[in-house]
Amino acid sequence: MDLSNALNSVIAAAYVQAAETEITARQIEARIIATGGRPLLRQYGKPIDAEAIRQNLTLVSQLNRRDLKLATYLGVQASYQQQLELEQAQSKLLEQALSVATAALKESNNAAASNSYQYQLTGANSITAMYYI
């Protein structure tokens, strides 16, 4: 009777593990479908085959463009996508720095133009600040 109970517990554990694997696989398949891809065929209770996904270039491309986290989880993340994100972040930082520098230069130019105008109104030389005779 002990063998029967041991066998039943092993079978129950295997069933639970297969059910958990199936739930995870279906969630991954749902995310693949959400990216516009088509999940690969697999047997019930078997995990998603990342190697088969790596060989499907269309699916890899869609995952890298639309669900980078899933692509990373499956191990099919393309390094060019990371490089592209890094370049975009650097571009945004450069744009912000140039915007600040442009604003400072504009303010400086406006102040210089205002001073020059004031010198013209008073009849002074804008370079030497001396009055014309």
Side-chain angles (χ1 to χ4, degrees):
M1 192 107 129
D2 289 334
L3 291 176
S4 176
N5 287 338
L7 179 62
N8 286 339
S9 64
V10 169
I11 291 172
Y15 175 78
V16 169
Q17 182 181 3
E20 289 173 355
T21 302
E22 182 64 21
I23 290 170
T24 303
R26 286 188 184 199
Q27 290 173 346
I28 292 171
E29 287 174 342
R31 286 184 73 160
I32 289 173
I33 291 169
T35 65
R38 196 177 113 231
L40 304 174
L41 296 176
R42 62 175 183 80
Q43 291 182 349
Y44 178 86
K46 300 289 182 183
I48 298 289
D49 186 10
E51 184 60 37
I53 290 176
R54 266 187 222 102
Q55 294 176 5
N56 187 336
L57 296 179
T58 303
L59 183 55
V60 169
S61 175
Q62 286 180 335
L63 288 174
N64 279 307
R65 275 187 280 130
R66 298 189 179 130
D67 195 347
L68 194 57
K69 292 178 182 177
L70 180 59
T72 302
Y73 175 77
L74 294 173
V76 296
Q77 181 182 14
S79 61
Y80 72 87
Q81 185 68 23
Q82 289 176 330
Q83 184 65 27
L84 182 63
E85 288 179 356
L86 180 62
E87 288 174 2
Q88 288 174 348
Q90 289 174 343
S91 175
K92 286 182 182 180
L93 288 175
L94 181 61
E95 182 180 333
Q96 290 173 351
L98 288 175
S99 173
V100 169
T102 302
L105 186 59
K106 184 176 182 181
E107 185 178 322
S108 172
N109 286 345
N110 286 340
S114 175
N115 286 343
S116 177
Y117 181 69
Q118 290 299 322
Y119 283 129
Q120 285 178 353
L121 288 178
T122 60
N125 185 334
S126 61
I127 297 174
T128 62
M130 298 181 78
Y131 290 98
Y132 297 111
I133 298 178

